[in-house]
């Protein structure tokens, strides 16, 4: 069971890390505010997923200790916050009309 979790969680961490990096670079290089916001929201979603994967590693693949459980719980809370904030921001920026870009 641990081997299966390792084969699922570690690639998940690496994929979301790569996506966070790509979206971060795209966000910083974007010319307009709408594109910048969309890329930043995607980065937050990816980062939230990465933190959830890391929390799963802490909770399921490590020796059980109070410190690991607390760290895993903190990562879950921060990851869920990033995930939901990214989804909210993505919906806001996608619904923004091109004429509203300059009013940010």
């Amino acid at each position: 069971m641990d081997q299966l979790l390792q084969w699922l969680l570690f690639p998940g961490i690496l994929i979301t890390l790569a996506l966070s990096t790509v979206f971060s670079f795209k966000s910083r290089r974007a010319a307009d505010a709408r594109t910048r916001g969309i890329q930043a929201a995607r980065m937050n979603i990816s980062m939230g997923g990465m933190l959830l994967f890391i929390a799963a590693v802490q909770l399921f693949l490590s020796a059980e200790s109070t410190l690991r459980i607390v760290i895993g719980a903190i990562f879950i809370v921060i990851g869920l916050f990033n995930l939901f904030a990214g989804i909210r921001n993505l919906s806001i920026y996608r619904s923004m009309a091109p004429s509203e870009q300059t009013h940010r």
Side-chain angles (χ1 to χ4, degrees):
M1 184 66 176
D2 286 346
Q3 289 286 8
L4 176 64
L5 283 175
Q6 283 181 355
W7 283 104
L8 294 175
L9 294 177
F10 290 126
I13 291 171
L14 293 177
I15 290 169
T16 54
L17 174 65
L19 287 173
S20 294
T21 305
V22 167
F23 292 137
S24 175
F25 281 119
K26 284 185 176 184
S27 172
R28 293 169 198 258
R29 293 179 183 255
D32 60 333
R34 182 173 182 259
T35 306
R36 191 178 319 119
I38 288 173
Q39 297 301 331
R42 289 178 179 165
M43 179 190 65
N44 276 348
I45 293 170
S46 300
M47 198 175 302
M50 180 179 61
L51 287 169
L52 290 175
F53 280 125
I54 292 171
V57 167
Q58 288 295 315
L59 294 175
F60 298 128
L61 295 181
S62 303
E64 290 187 22
S65 71
T66 305
L67 181 62
R68 288 195 186 268
I69 292 171
V70 169
I71 290 172
I74 290 170
F75 280 2
I76 286 174
V77 170
I78 296 171
L80 287 174
F81 176 77
N82 269 343
L83 188 66
F84 289 128
I87 291 170
R88 183 197 64 196
N89 290 341
L90 185 62
S91 67
I92 290 170
Y93 279 110
R94 278 190 176 167
S95 66
M96 197 161 74
S99 63
E100 295 177 8
Q101 291 179 18
T102 58
H103 294 57
R104 182 179 171 209

